[in-house]
Amino acid sequence: MKITKDKVVSIHYRLSEEAGKELENNRDGLPMAYLHGHNNLLEALETQLEDLEKGDLKSVTLQAHEAYGTRKENAVQRVPIKHLVGKYKRLLPGMVVKVNTDRGAKNASIIKAGKFNVDLDMNHPLAGKTLVFDIEVMDVRDATDEEVQHGHAHGPGGHHH
Ligand code: ZN
């Protein structure tokens, strides 16, 4: 069965920077399940996975503009600590935190932390980076009507609710 719209696809992946530094992988855990064709992954990545089948391996390189965008200068904002999502024991430069914005919660990295405010770099932590995804397709199945309605995969490796 090929990967097309409305298939639930389970993948193992390894994400690294072009230079080779590994950022994350799920190869030792449960494959991630996503519903194809519903913008659950980066669009350029989904396009590259189209028509693959169970057992296929593919290395996909995405330029920054296809992944998390280019870095913007002047993206530094001073934000009250109470606007951060979740609790942090210590706030240190370089840490990635979630912050509430008028466009929802976003990832940002700390440049400087004070007592009440933090200076955040609002660029996505992966902005400006060329990324390499090494993908192994572990399974492809038809989505249920409910999954298509919800726009995401259910069950192991997918959404639970
Ligand atoms: Zn759902």
Side-chain angles (χ1 to χ4, degrees), residues 146-154 159-161:
E146 193 187 40
E147 286 174 319
V148 173
Q149 261 173 31
H150 287 198
H152 55 228
H154 291 160
H159 278 252
H160 298 273
H161 56 136

Side-chain angles (χ1 to χ4, degrees), residues 5-143:
K5 189 170 175 10
D6 297 341
K7 300 293 183 208
V8 171
V9 184
S10 297
I11 55 172
H12 271 152
Y13 68 90
R14 175 178 183 270
L15 169 61
S16 44
E17 291 184 31
E18 196 184 20
K21 183 185 163 213
E22 179 171 308
L23 299 168
E24 57 179 87
N25 82 76
N26 73 345
R27 302 199 66 87
D28 297 328
L30 205 59
M32 177 183 78
Y34 79 95
L35 179 63
H36 191 80
H38 291 257
N39 296 318
N40 287 306
L41 304 184
L42 295 167
E43 192 187 341
L45 180 58
E46 284 200 18
T47 303
Q48 293 287 322
L49 298 182
E50 194 92 24
D51 290 334
L52 295 184
E53 297 181 87
K54 180 175 177 175
D56 284 346
L57 298 165
K58 188 163 186 181
S59 180
V60 178
T61 300
L62 299 184
Q63 304 300 321
H65 72 271
E66 300 174 304
Y68 293 98
T70 48
R71 289 188 66 82
K72 293 180 191 65
E73 301 303 322
N74 306 319
V76 177
Q77 279 183 22
R78 179 158 292 181
V79 175
I81 287 172
K82 63 182 183 212
H83 287 187
L84 300 183
V85 181
K87 289 225 179 300
Y88 300 92
K89 252 189 192 147
R90 288 183 73 189
L91 295 167
L92 298 169
M95 267 177 67
V96 175
V97 292
K98 264 197 184 342
V99 58
N100 281 316
T101 72
D102 46 13
R103 288 184 295 147
K106 283 185 66 176
N107 284 328
S109 40
I110 295 177
I111 294 172
K112 205 173 99 187
K115 198 165 181 200
F116 302 107
N117 297 297
V118 278
D119 290 350
L120 296 177
D121 181 348
M122 299 302 292
N123 283 302
H124 188 283
L126 297 178
K129 291 187 199 295
T130 297
L131 299 177
V132 181
F133 291 86
D134 290 304
I135 305 279
E136 181 175 5
V137 180
M138 306 304 287
D139 195 36
V140 183
R141 66 167 169 85
D142 288 314

